[in-house]
């Protein structure tokens, strides 16, 4: 009996090339299919044009802020699960190490289960 394996389609939105490259590598290594956008204009189009299982969104993007893009998506009925990158640890002023935190967030939210 053949088992169908579902690949999670993920939109990664990160303008920092080093961070984005590392996040993309980690996601791919963990079985995610990843499209990567670097600015708010590109991601506004991709997120509304392509169906994604999960979106990893940098809130501070060039050309159009990530949170503004997210508000527009929600106003237009797009309700794909989003996780902000880099994530902020509640109760602290510092950023968490984004890569392990992101993988934990995606796994814990079961964003890509069929």
């Amino acid at each position: 009996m053949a088992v169908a394996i579902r690949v999670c389609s993920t939109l990664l939105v990160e303008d920092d090339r080093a961070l984005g490259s590392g996040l993309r590598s980690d996601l791919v290594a963990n079985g995610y299919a990843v499209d990567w956008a670097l600015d708010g204009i590109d991601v506004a189009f991709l997120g509304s044009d392509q169906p994604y299982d999960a979106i990893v969104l940098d809130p501070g993007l060039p050309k159009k802020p990530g949170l503004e893009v997210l508000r527009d998506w929600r106003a237009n009925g797009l309700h794909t699960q989003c996780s902000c990158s880099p994530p902020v640890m509640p109760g602290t002023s510092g950023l968490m190490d984004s890569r392990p935190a992101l993988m934990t967030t995606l796994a814990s939210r079961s964003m890509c289960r069929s």
Side-chain angles (χ1 to χ4, degrees), residues 13-109:
V13 189
E14 177 55 64
D15 62 313
D16 180 301
R17 290 184 185 272
L19 179 58
S21 179
L23 289 170
R24 183 182 182 283
S25 294
D26 286 352
L27 288 165
V28 169
N30 281 279
Y32 294 84
V34 180
D35 288 338
W36 180 16
L38 297 165
D39 67 63
I41 300 297
D42 289 343
V43 75
F45 171 76
L46 283 171
S48 60
D49 186 58
Q50 302 287 329
Y52 290 99
D53 297 306
I55 299 172
V56 179
L57 182 65
D58 179 352
L61 294 171
K63 300 185 183 176
K64 185 173 186 177
L67 293 179
E68 185 178 328
V69 171
L70 180 58
R71 278 192 296 272
D72 291 348
W73 285 339
R74 295 299 189 241
N76 291 310
L78 179 72
H79 296 290
T80 302
Q81 290 274 358
C82 290
S83 177
C84 286
S85 169
V88 177
M89 176 67 93
T92 71
S93 60
L95 297 176
M96 295 167 49
D97 180 358
S98 298
R99 290 158 63 177
L102 175 63
M103 298 312 298
T104 301
T105 299
L106 289 174
S108 69
R109 291 187 181 173

